[in-house]
Amino acid sequence: MVRLVGRSGTRPARRLGGGRPPAPARPMRERGARHAAGRPPPRRTGAGLPRPGRLARLRAALGVRSLAGQVFVLQFVIVLLLVVAAVSALVLQSRVDTTTEARKRSVAVAQTFANAPGTAAALATRDPTALLQPRAETARELSGVDFIVVTDTEGIRYTHPNPDRIGKQFVGNIEPALAGEVVVEEIDGTIGRLVQAVVPVKALDGTVVGLVSAGITTERVGGTADEQLPLLLGAAAAALALALAGTALVSRRLMRQTHGLGPDEMTRMYEHHDAVLHSVREGVIIVGADGGLLLANDEAHRLLDLPADAEGRQVRDLGLDPDTADLLASGRMATDEVHLVGDRLLAVNQRPTDLAGGPAGSVATLRDSTELRALSGRAELARERLDLLYDAGVRIGGSLDVTRTAEELAELTVPRLADFVTVDLFGAVLDGEPPEAGTELCRTASSGIRPDAPLYPVGERIRFVPTSPQARALDSGESVLERDLSAAHGWHAQDLERAGQVVEYGIHSLITVPLRAGALVLGLVTLWRSRQPEPFDDEDQALAEELVTRAAVSIDNARRFTREHTMAVTLQRSLLPRTLPEQSALEIAYRYLPAQAGVGGDWFDVLPLSGARVALVVGDVVGHGLHAAATMGRLRTAVHNFSALDLAPDELLGLLDELVARLQDEAAEDGGALVTGATCLYAIYDPVSRRCAIARAGHPPPAVVRPDGGVEFLDVAVGPPLGLGGLPFETSEVELAEGSRLVLYTDGLVEDRGRDIDVGLELLREALERAGPSPEETCRAVLDARLPARRGDDIALIVARTRALPSDRIAEWDVPAEPAAVARVRAAVTRRLAEWGLEEMTFGTELILSELVTNAIRYGAAPLRVRMLYDRTLVCEVFDSSNTAPHLRYAAMTDEGGRGLFLVAQLAERWGTRYVADGKVIWAEQPLP
């Protein structure tokens, strides 16, 4: 087996096993010494070197440090690229052939079924599904496609392999097919990537009476790629074997020519040699065993003032001082020995060269330490100032609070740069607004070595006079240095009495620096000195400017954060519901707690619907800040609009999903912030049937507290978060006993970085089991038990206790589809209104129901039902099994009809249409007297 030796920090091994181990590599410094002395490196052939075996030579040849290894890698990459290109071309061609075959097959099957005898006739019958479903399934099995779907011109399915999908909307583009064209499209369906064709079904007169769609997944259509792949892999293996053999031969020849040194080693050896001779700012001397100078680089010539012909001569004959010459000639080990050579203090380090089996001699390094002592004091001062700037970057600005950031700046500067520091900011900056020039400054932070300095206290409003250093710094935008405050008359003019107290206290010098963030001047930072007798100098001023410049960025960031946070909180409060609407189906309590770290996108709503029903919605937009709050507002408005259509929960979430996808596309086009994710739960409770329909998009499951106190989390089918698309949402229905408490919440209540969500759900269950019976007590118990010490996310919580509409307030009648039934309905309504004590509403109610029932008989389909609900309003509902909805219009003076719905709209407070699984309901609400 051949092992490939990778490149590492040491020279790769030359042998794999057997025989004597290779001789240890000599240090690079020894090799440089031999070359510098004019002696070539020793050859590695002859009796002194064990002859390597074939396996060792092959291993050396394949080392990537050698030229042969590089050739091997290059050839291997080329062959690999050719193989990848061939395979990719084959797969791409196979995919094209597969898609073409799938398109042809789906079109052929769809056209064949559409033109088959009896298809058009079956569409004209009362029950097309009974005739077409068996034919479609038989044709699907014989043709090998995945589905054959027959729809009407509205896209409602008559056939489908899955009978549950019959009667639902077809997913696909049908507009061109309605115009008589054939539509072929590729989509990602629930069964995978597929090609579907939609063709029209035409009657004898050429009109389109229906559509036929046939689809097949690309997995059903095969290609020839698998047959060609073994041949291609065999050719690739042969090419790799040839490349490996050729590389081994080249490596064997190169080893004999280079004596075992790789090209990188040889190049690096000579580069190091040149660097030592010319570039290193430290003297290097190599002395042989006889005391002769073998090598001295340029820096050694300069430090020792050596003659040009020094190399090859004895060290003691070079004119050096005796101590230095004795040290270099002795070859003994030395560490940082200081020798005076001329007017220089040289630190000498010397090591023998024969410690690791090398040739006899020594290597010495020389370092000029003359200036080190003079610079040590200044270096220490520079280090302290660099530490101060580093600490400023680390410690200032972590809180995103303007006042705290100013305090951090003052605390950091004392006493490392000044004895007292004051920070004055414009009042608008503290509120997050841009500064207003010419206004007063507020003393925001102050720090000092003693607490009794006679400076303006924190909170003081200050207006500096034009002659003061602070005013001059604000006007010019540059720092001002006052070395002697006792002679600074402009500073005394600010406050004569206080200035005298400051000078008497011992403060004698100041630097005032404007806090500049771009073009904005946010305020001033003033540094005062008292303990040190020396005044501030130019270097102190430069350091103060650098320090304040860094702090100004943090203060401006805190200002911007304060402004954005204030705007986001204002926007969020304006978008959330302020009061809950009046309704009788649910007793509701809620809590909304914003995150402490920033405004989030959690929201909730309660929406009354027709038929005394109520919709509950809870959502969460991922992220924090103004964008999340604005997105939350758009989603809440959309839910309001969609709920007015009386849609099922899954249909409403589908529309909301499309809206979020459009928002993401708009943000991508405009370069704005993307909606990274949103979840939502939508529930509709009907107090008549006590059933609750729920659908959720990536949201935590709702909890139900039964009247006996038991708690369970509803098994509601979960869909993907909003905006992902591709998968439909599902509506789950559950029957709730009267007095049950439905608990909806956002993930901030159960999720935490320190624990799993299952743990949070279990803790929520325990809190609900201990809660009192009312929704208000439940909210209080949950938040007392589950509220974290510091909220990292918003928390929205809704607790709704269910109520049931009494049976004596519900009236229902089945109505035959004949005009004479209208009179019987009016009579029954009159009797029931008298029982309810609502006789004065009889005329309007009879007129509303007469018009609605007449429309249902004339334009709808049996069966027909009438229902009245006596709730906060009087609700009249007429059900029929058709899907056509009436539309309000203004009838002309000459029209005999068309005024029924207009009268209904005038008599009712609200009216509308909602669709159910087997038809539609037209409803009208009247206020109670």
Side-chain angles (χ1 to χ4, degrees):
M1 180 180 67
V2 178
R3 179 183 299 174
L4 299 182
V5 180
R7 184 172 183 174
S8 63
T10 61
R11 188 174 178 180
R14 302 287 179 172
R15 302 176 62 89
L16 289 177
R20 294 170 57 189
R26 291 186 174 89
M28 189 62 65
R29 180 175 296 175
E30 177 187 340
R31 298 178 187 173
R34 289 183 176 273
H35 280 266
R39 292 181 290 172
R43 297 177 59 86
R44 298 201 173 190
T45 59
L49 181 67
R51 187 176 183 84
R54 293 182 179 179
L55 190 59
R57 289 198 300 271
L58 183 59
R59 180 181 181 183
L62 295 180
V64 295
R65 294 182 60 186
S66 66
L67 180 60
Q70 297 174 8
V71 173
F72 172 78
V73 172
L74 178 61
Q75 290 183 355
F76 178 79
V77 170
I78 291 175
V79 175
L80 183 61
L81 289 177
L82 291 176
V83 173
V84 171
V87 173
S88 300
L90 179 61
V91 172
L92 179 60
Q93 183 62 39
S94 175
R95 184 173 298 176
V96 172
D97 294 342
T98 298
T99 303
T100 303
E101 177 65 21
R103 294 171 69 93
K104 291 180 180 179
R105 189 181 299 183
S106 60
V107 172
V109 172
Q111 288 181 334
T112 300
F113 194 87
N115 297 324
T119 302
L123 291 172
T125 62
R126 294 181 59 85
D127 190 3
T129 300
L131 296 176
L132 294 177
Q133 176 69 3
R135 299 180 188 177
E137 287 303 293
T138 302
R140 179 179 67 82
E141 294 175 356
L142 295 176
S143 61
V145 297
D146 288 289
F147 66 84
I148 296 178
V149 176
V150 183
T151 71
D152 62 5
T153 56
E154 299 295 330
I156 303 303
R157 299 188 183 102
Y158 288 139
T159 69
H160 196 277
N162 185 357
D164 294 340
R165 304 294 178 87
I166 296 176
K168 296 186 178 180
Q169 186 70 33
F170 174 73
V171 179
N173 185 12
I174 65 173
E175 295 299 329
L178 295 177
E181 299 178 1
V182 176
V183 181
V184 182
E185 56 185 349
E186 297 181 27
I187 64 173
D188 291 321
T190 57
I191 61 176
R193 185 69 176 179
L194 58 86
V195 178
Q196 69 177 14
V198 183
V199 300
V201 179
K202 297 183 180 179
L204 295 177
D205 58 355
T207 59
V208 177
V209 298
L211 304 174
V212 175
S213 174
I216 183 172
T217 58
T218 56
E219 295 180 357
R220 282 180 173 262
V221 183
T224 61
D226 293 339
E227 300 176 1
Q228 299 176 3
L229 189 58
L231 179 61
L232 184 61
L233 294 178
L240 288 175
L242 290 176
L244 182 62
T247 302
L249 294 176
V250 172
S251 176
R252 182 178 180 183
R253 181 62 180 269
L254 288 177
M255 285 178 60
R256 290 198 297 266
Q257 296 295 328
T258 59
H259 305 288
L261 291 177
D264 291 340
E265 292 177 322
M266 297 178 65
T267 302
R268 186 165 59 251
M269 181 179 66
Y270 287 108
E271 288 176 349
H272 290 178
H273 179 269
D274 290 340
V276 170
L277 288 179
H278 306 294
S279 302
V280 175
R281 301 306 300 168
E282 190 172 80
V284 177
I285 288 181
I286 300 178
V287 181
D290 57 353
L293 180 62
L294 301 180
L295 173 67
N297 67 350
D298 294 347
E299 185 68 8
H301 275 270
R302 185 182 70 85
L303 295 176
L304 298 177
D305 195 17
L306 298 176
D309 59 348
E311 294 181 1
R313 297 170 57 182
Q314 292 294 314
V315 175
R316 301 181 187 275
D317 298 336
L318 298 178
L320 303 176
D321 68 282
D323 291 340
T324 305
D326 291 342
L327 172 62
L328 297 177
S330 65
R332 64 179 175 84
M333 186 177 296
T335 301
D336 286 336
E337 288 191 13
V338 179
H339 291 261
L340 179 61
V341 179
D343 58 350
R344 303 177 188 276
L345 287 174
L346 300 183
V348 182
N349 290 273
Q350 185 169 268
R351 295 292 184 274
T353 58
D354 58 353
L355 295 178
S362 62
V363 176
T365 59
L366 312 172
R367 186 176 66 253
D368 189 356
S369 61
T370 306
E371 299 178 358
L372 291 179
R373 298 184 180 181
L375 295 177
S376 60
R378 298 183 62 184
E380 180 66 21
L381 180 60
R383 185 189 63 79
E384 293 178 356
R385 295 189 171 186
L386 287 175
D387 289 344
L388 176 61
L389 295 178
Y390 173 80
D391 292 343
V394 174
R395 294 172 51 184
I396 297 177
S399 62
L400 288 178
D401 179 81
V402 175
T403 302
R404 181 55 194 155
T405 303
E407 293 173 350
E408 291 170 349
L409 170 61
E411 294 169 357
L412 178 67
T413 311
V414 176
R416 302 169 70 174
L417 181 58
D419 299 323
F420 300 94
V421 173
T422 57
V423 181
D424 305 319
L425 300 177
F426 287 102
V429 174
L430 298 175
D431 298 330
E433 299 297 328
E436 300 178 4
T439 59
E440 294 180 338
L441 283 85
C442 177
R443 178 61 51 88
T444 307
S446 178
S447 180
I449 58 175
R450 296 191 300 272
D452 56 346
L455 301 173
Y456 288 116
V458 174
E460 183 81 10
R461 295 282 177 171
I462 308 171
R463 186 182 294 275
F464 292 102
V465 298
T467 58
S468 64
Q470 290 83 355
R472 286 185 283 138
L474 289 175
D475 293 339
S476 64
E478 304 291 339
S479 63
V480 175
L481 169 62
E482 288 288 353
R483 302 178 186 273
D484 187 4
L485 288 181
S486 61
H489 301 291
W491 174 72
H492 283 270
Q494 173 68 35
D495 188 335
L496 289 176
E497 181 179 358
R498 188 178 296 273
Q501 295 174 355
V502 169
V503 173
E504 184 179 355
Y505 187 80
I507 298 176
H508 57 81
S509 181
L510 72 80
I511 299 174
T512 181
V513 185
L515 274 162
R516 294 179 59 90
L520 298 179
V521 178
L522 308 177
L524 289 168
V525 177
T526 305
L527 290 75
W528 314 79
R529 175 169 289 181
S530 64
R531 184 171 52 183
Q532 300 182 22
E534 298 83 7
F536 286 119
D537 55 20
D538 294 338
E539 293 186 0
D540 296 327
Q541 185 178 5
L543 178 60
E545 291 175 352
E546 178 68 19
L547 180 63
V548 172
T549 299
R550 298 191 181 193
V553 176
S554 299
I555 292 177
D556 189 52
N557 289 340
R559 177 190 68 84
R560 293 173 183 270
F561 175 80
T562 301
R563 182 187 182 191
E564 181 178 348
H565 182 74
T566 302
M567 294 174 60
V569 169
T570 303
L571 176 63
Q572 184 187 44
R573 290 177 178 174
S574 66
L575 294 176
L576 290 173
R578 300 181 180 178
T579 57
L580 297 182
E582 295 181 356
Q583 46 82 32
S584 303
L586 298 169
E587 179 187 354
I588 297 176
Y590 68 91
R591 296 289 189 276
Y592 187 88
L593 302 176
Q596 295 179 346
V599 175
D602 290 15
W603 54 283
F604 67 94
D605 221 330
V606 179
L607 306 171
L609 302 178
S610 62
R613 299 171 303 136
V614 177
L616 300 176
V617 58
V618 176
D620 182 7
V621 177
V622 177
H624 294 83
L626 188 62
H627 176 70
T631 303
M632 174 268 289
R634 299 177 73 172
L635 295 183
R636 179 170 177 259
T637 303
V639 170
H640 268 268
N641 295 332
F642 294 153
S643 66
L645 303 177
D646 257 328
L647 299 174
D650 58 333
E651 296 178 359
L652 185 140
L653 291 183
L655 295 176
L656 206 62
D657 180 68
E658 295 178 1
L659 173 63
V660 174
R662 287 197 299 271
L663 293 178
Q664 292 174 338
D665 294 340
E666 293 174 1
E669 294 175 359
D670 300 339
L674 291 175
V675 181
T676 55
T679 65
C680 184
L681 186 147
Y682 188 79
I684 299 177
Y685 175 71
D686 188 350
V688 177
S689 63
R690 293 185 289 105
R691 297 192 65 82
C692 184
I694 307 173
R696 61 187 178 122
H699 206 79
V704 172
V705 184
R706 296 186 296 272
D708 60 0
V711 178
E712 65 175 327
F713 290 95
L714 297 180
D715 186 14
V716 179
V718 59
L722 299 177
L724 296 184
L727 294 176
F729 299 98
E730 297 183 27
T731 297
S732 302
E733 288 195 3
V734 59
E735 184 174 342
L736 300 177
E738 185 176 5
S740 300
R741 281 166 285 164
L742 184 63
V743 181
L744 309 181
Y745 53 91
T746 56
D747 57 1
L749 187 66
V750 295
E751 286 189 356
D752 196 328
R753 294 181 180 178
R755 60 171 177 264
D756 190 73
I757 187 173
D758 293 335
V759 178
L761 291 176
E762 186 60 30
L763 294 175
L764 176 60
R765 180 198 300 273
E766 296 174 0
L768 292 174
E769 290 174 348
R770 297 192 301 267
S774 70
E776 189 66 32
E777 292 174 335
T778 304
C779 286
R780 187 182 306 113
V782 168
L783 292 184
D784 289 344
R786 295 287 302 110
L787 190 62
R790 177 175 177 82
R791 298 184 301 277
D793 195 4
D794 295 359
I795 294 177
L797 173 65
I798 298 180
V799 179
R801 184 163 60 184
T802 61
R803 298 168 177 165
L805 191 64
S807 58
D808 59 354
R809 292 200 170 197
I810 305 172
E812 291 185 275
W813 302 279
D814 291 328
V815 180
E818 57 185 25
V822 178
R824 294 195 294 272
V825 170
R826 287 199 299 266
V829 168
T830 301
R831 290 192 299 271
R832 181 52 62 95
L833 291 178
E835 295 175 4
W836 288 344
L838 301 176
E839 293 87 350
E840 57 185 288
M841 300 182 66
T842 302
F843 174 76
T845 305
E846 288 183 348
L847 184 56
I848 290 174
L849 285 176
S850 296
E851 293 297 334
L852 296 183
V853 172
T854 301
N855 280 342
I857 294 173
R858 181 176 300 177
Y859 303 109
L864 306 179
R865 288 195 300 273
V866 173
R867 186 173 75 168
M868 284 200 315
L869 304 177
Y870 179 20
D871 192 37
R872 300 180 65 87
T873 60
L874 183 63
V875 182
C876 300
E877 298 179 343
V878 177
F879 166 81
D880 70 85
S881 59
S882 70
N883 291 321
T884 58
H887 298 282
L888 181 65
R889 68 183 182 89
Y890 290 94
M893 296 294 295
T894 58
D895 292 343
E896 295 184 359
R899 298 176 177 83
L901 287 181
F902 181 78
L903 293 176
V904 171
Q906 296 299 314
L907 293 173
E909 185 178 45
R910 294 193 309 154
W911 75 279
T913 304
R914 73 172 181 271
Y915 292 94
V916 293
D918 51 354
K920 69 175 184 297
V921 175
I922 305 176
W923 55 271
E925 290 185 4
Q926 302 176 78
L928 299 178

